[in-house]
Amino acid sequence: GFNAFKRCPKLKEITMNPYVTNFESDSFSDCNSFNHLVISSSVSTINEFNYNRFGKLTALTIPPSVITIANFAFNNFLSLEKITIPPSVRCIPKYSFKGCLNLKEITIDPYKTEFEKDTFSDCSLLKHLIIGSSTTIIKQFDFNSFGKLTNITIPESAIMVGVKSFNGCSTLVDVHIPSSVTNFGESSFAGCSSLKQISIPSASTAIKKSTFEGCSSLTTIVIPSSTKIIEKSAFEGCISL
């Protein structure tokens, strides 16, 4: 109702189904700390909705019960900065994030959730991809389809970075590789010309052929004592080393 949560300054997060719960546009007025909406687990489809009615929401979490995201679902969600999409969502329509001008970070499993190349074309600030925690093998993928990513976080569940996984991801500056990763495929970071530094996990025993070939901005690499083999052209073209 009207002013339902007015002047609740410590309210930061709320879990609800915005499609069946009616509320006034000023229900959350003066809730200056309220910035995270968790959509309730009763929801299976994310429909188009005016999320701006919540005020300045910056983070949105979609539950694993959701399997469908409608076209224009987050249309002009201007304050959105972070969103978590579960692997239960199989496809994101082309215009789902149209007008999300401040989206900076997305958590998603790109191997299970399909989307078109220009799905995030309006999201010029989208720089950070957190690969979903269900992922065990980082496979080859066109990460450039997210736009100009500069940071990628690989989850602790991952044990392998596969052949050509990040090949040609030319805007990538930093990648977090957890200690769980024990194996890197050939050319896994080849052509990542903006990558500046990287730490090889302590469990890794070899750096495969052309793993970092063409990483021309790479200035720092930490190689553990467990690494016994560095194959042909592993660092070829790393002119900043």
Side-chain angles (χ1 to χ4, degrees):
F2 181 71
N3 288 338
F5 292 92
K6 186 177 177 66
R7 288 195 293 273
C8 293
K10 295 185 178 181
L11 179 64
K12 297 180 180 180
E13 176 181 305
I14 190 169
T15 300
M16 69 180 295
N17 184 339
Y19 312 114
V20 300
T21 304
N22 293 321
F23 59 93
E24 304 289 340
S25 59
D26 54 1
S27 293
F28 300 95
S29 62
D30 296 329
C31 296
N32 296 326
S33 298
F34 175 45
N35 57 18
H36 186 189
L37 172 65
V38 180
I39 296 177
S40 63
S41 58
S42 61
V43 177
S44 60
T45 299
I46 304 296
N47 294 308
E48 184 177 358
F49 184 81
N50 181 15
Y51 289 94
N52 297 313
R53 294 173 59 194
F54 284 102
K56 293 185 178 180
L57 275 182
T58 59
L60 182 69
T61 298
I62 297 174
S65 58
V66 171
I67 56 175
T68 303
I69 293 178
N71 222 350
F72 298 99
F74 307 108
N75 188 37
N76 292 321
F77 191 169
L78 297 176
S79 61
L80 182 64
E81 295 181 5
K82 300 179 181 181
I83 189 167
T84 300
I85 299 175
S88 56
V89 175
R90 296 304 184 190
C91 182
I92 302 176
K94 184 176 180 179
Y95 298 110
S96 298
F97 290 91
K98 185 174 179 61
C100 294
L101 304 180
N102 290 299
L103 183 63
K104 299 174 182 177
E105 176 182 298
I106 186 169
T107 300
I108 190 173
D109 186 336
Y111 310 110
K112 293 183 179 178
T113 303
E114 296 181 358
F115 55 91
E116 296 187 38
K117 188 170 184 178
D118 52 359
T119 297
F120 301 99
S121 59
D122 279 357
C123 308
S124 59
L125 296 181
L126 180 57
K127 304 295 184 184
H128 187 190
L129 168 67
I130 300 174
I131 298 176
S133 59
S134 61
T135 306
T136 57
I137 298 176
I138 308 299
K139 303 174 185 177
Q140 185 177 5
F141 185 83
D142 182 13
F143 287 97
N144 294 317
S145 58
F146 283 99
K148 295 181 178 181
L149 288 177
T150 59
N151 297 76
I152 293 178
T153 299
I154 297 173
E156 298 289 338
S157 57
I159 58 173
M160 179 179 180
V161 176
V163 174
K164 296 184 177 180
S165 295
F166 300 101
N167 187 33
C169 194
S170 60
T171 60
L172 183 62
V173 175
D174 182 58
V175 59
H176 169 71
I177 303 173
S179 58
S180 56
V181 173
T182 61
N183 192 13
F184 293 84
E186 294 181 2
S187 303
S188 49
F189 291 95
C192 293
S193 56
S194 298
L195 188 64
K196 295 184 180 299
Q197 59 183 15
I198 199 159
S199 293
I200 305 295
S202 58
S204 176
T205 58
I207 299 176
K208 299 289 183 64
K209 178 182 175 182
S210 302
T211 298
F212 298 101
E213 184 177 352
C215 294
S216 55
S217 297
L218 191 63
T219 59
T220 304
I221 182 165
V222 178
I223 301 174
S225 58
S226 60
T227 301
K228 306 300 182 183
I229 300 172
I230 298 179
E231 294 186 359
K232 179 182 177 181
S233 301
F235 298 100
E236 183 177 342
C238 294
I239 58 176
S240 297
L241 283 176

